[in-house]
């Protein structure tokens, strides 16, 4: 039924408008959950990862918030974290579930089977775990998914997938730091990571930032990414 409604909305030219309304409703719900459970979600994710000898670190918007705001970015209502790709195991997925997380979905490169991101839910708080790998020059790389060039996501996922881009950050170690009372890893070269991700003016808040800004600072891999729904 939902797919039929989407097709009708697309045919009537209403899809984008309805998606904006739905996104606003979802944003309000996520905001309420994040205020109440955001820190608990981070604490439990760190604990689950450490059970499996992994080092969960803050990434993207959550790393920016920790460095610039000394907290969460006010208009960012999910958690962005990173993990080295070799530290992702089935045991970790099981540990996340034991710590109260639902495994919502997964993004992967269909041609190679490489898993790029896992998305979990903890009491309404979404946490993205992005997987970083070493490129040939010793830096860290992370694949991200952009919206399809023209198709709604369900149609794209069932056909040619989504364009994949790669973000590259300086190679470094990770050190545990205290963030709002939670011990969590961060890159040792945090400022350089943020400059690579957001440009020289990353210390100036930009409420209008969108995923399109990642595209400006990234390289297309030429690969196509797909989404696997798990619940």
């Amino acid at each position: 039924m939902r797919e039929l409604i989407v097709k009708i909305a697309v045919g009537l030219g209403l899809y984008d408008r309805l998606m904006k309304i739905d996104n606003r409703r979802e944003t309000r719900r996520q905001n309420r959950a994040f205020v109440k459970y955001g820190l608990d979600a981070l604490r439990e994710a760190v604990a689950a990862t450490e059970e499996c000898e992994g080092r969960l670190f803050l990434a993207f918007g959550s790393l920016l918030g920790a460095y610039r705001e000394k907290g969460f970015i006010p208009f960012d209502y999910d958690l962005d974290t990173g993990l080295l790709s070799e530290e992702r195991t089935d045991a970790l997925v099981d540990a996340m579930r034991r710590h109260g997380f639902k495994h919502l979905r997964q993004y992967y490169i269909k041609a190679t089977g490489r898993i790029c991101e896992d998305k979990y839910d903890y009491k309404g708080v979404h946490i993205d775990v992005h997987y970083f790998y070493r490129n040939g020059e010793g830096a860290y790389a992370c694949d991200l998914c952009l919206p399809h060039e023209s198709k709604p996501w369900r149609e794209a996922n069932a056909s040619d997938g989504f364009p994949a881009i790669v973000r590259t950050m300086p190679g470094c170690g990770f050190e545990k730091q205290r963030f709002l009372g939670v011990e969590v890893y961060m890159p040792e070269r945090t400022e350089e990571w943020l400059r690579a991700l957001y440009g020289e003016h990353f210390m100036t808040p930009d409420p209008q930032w969108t995923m399109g800004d990642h595209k400006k600072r990234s390289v297309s891999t030429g690969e196509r990414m797909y989404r696997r729904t798990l619940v």
Side-chain angles (χ1 to χ4, degrees):
M1 174 63 72
R2 181 181 174 87
E3 292 183 4
L4 176 60
I5 293 173
V6 169
K7 288 182 179 179
I8 293 173
V10 171
L12 295 175
L14 298 175
Y15 179 79
D16 289 342
R17 185 182 304 174
L18 293 176
M19 285 301 298
K20 287 180 181 178
I21 294 172
D22 187 60
N23 287 340
R24 283 197 295 268
R25 184 184 300 114
E26 177 65 11
T27 296
R28 287 194 294 270
R29 185 197 65 78
Q30 288 184 2
N31 183 18
R32 292 192 297 268
F34 194 84
V35 169
K36 191 172 183 179
Y37 298 115
L39 276 176
D40 291 341
L42 179 60
R43 186 178 294 108
E44 294 298 330
V46 169
T49 308
E50 291 186 341
E51 282 183 13
C52 303
E53 301 182 352
R55 294 170 297 170
L56 190 76
F57 54 88
L58 296 182
F60 299 109
S62 295
L63 181 64
L64 177 62
Y67 186 86
R68 187 181 71 197
E69 317 286 347
K70 310 304 179 188
F72 296 118
I73 295 175
F75 48 86
D76 191 8
Y77 305 128
D78 62 2
L79 291 168
D80 288 313
T81 64
L83 194 69
L84 299 184
S85 58
E86 61 265 26
E87 295 180 0
R88 186 195 184 278
T89 65
D90 291 339
L92 174 58
V93 176
D94 292 337
M96 292 289 282
R97 290 187 176 121
R98 289 197 303 274
H99 280 262
F101 291 88
K102 297 177 183 177
H103 197 182
L104 295 180
R105 64 188 71 101
Q106 193 173 80
Y107 292 86
Y108 65 100
I109 303 294
K110 192 172 187 178
T112 62
R114 183 171 72 251
I115 296 172
C116 305
E117 177 190 344
D118 281 309
K119 181 180 286 289
Y120 293 92
D121 176 276
Y122 180 89
K123 298 181 180 180
V125 177
H126 287 179
I127 177 169
D128 298 328
V129 183
H130 300 274
Y131 299 108
F132 291 74
Y133 55 92
R134 292 277 191 177
N135 66 12
E137 301 175 355
Y140 287 115
C142 177
D143 298 311
L144 299 175
C145 182
L146 291 178
H148 192 275
E149 294 85 349
S150 61
K151 299 177 183 177
W153 82 263
R154 290 180 184 275
E155 182 182 347
N157 204 51
S159 55
D160 59 332
F162 308 91
I165 56 175
V166 62
R167 299 304 315 268
T168 304
M169 278 66 72
C172 66
F174 299 90
E175 58 184 2
K176 189 173 276 189
Q177 298 188 31
R178 195 164 185 82
F179 171 66
L180 298 179
V182 179
E183 297 284 337
V184 61
Y185 284 97
M186 298 186 196
E188 292 177 348
R189 299 167 66 180
T190 290
E191 186 171 329
E192 293 177 59
W193 272 49
L194 293 174
R195 189 174 291 111
L197 287 168
Y198 301 108
E200 293 295 328
H201 303 292
F202 70 87
M203 290 297 289
T204 302
D206 180 9
Q208 303 304 315
W209 190 93
T210 67
M211 190 63 188
D213 291 276
H214 266 316
K215 185 177 181 180
K216 297 174 186 176
R217 303 181 185 279
S218 63
V219 176
S220 173
T221 66
E223 297 178 301
R224 305 297 287 187
M225 197 176 293
Y226 288 77
R227 170 175 162 176
R228 182 182 290 121
T229 302
L230 299 168
V231 295

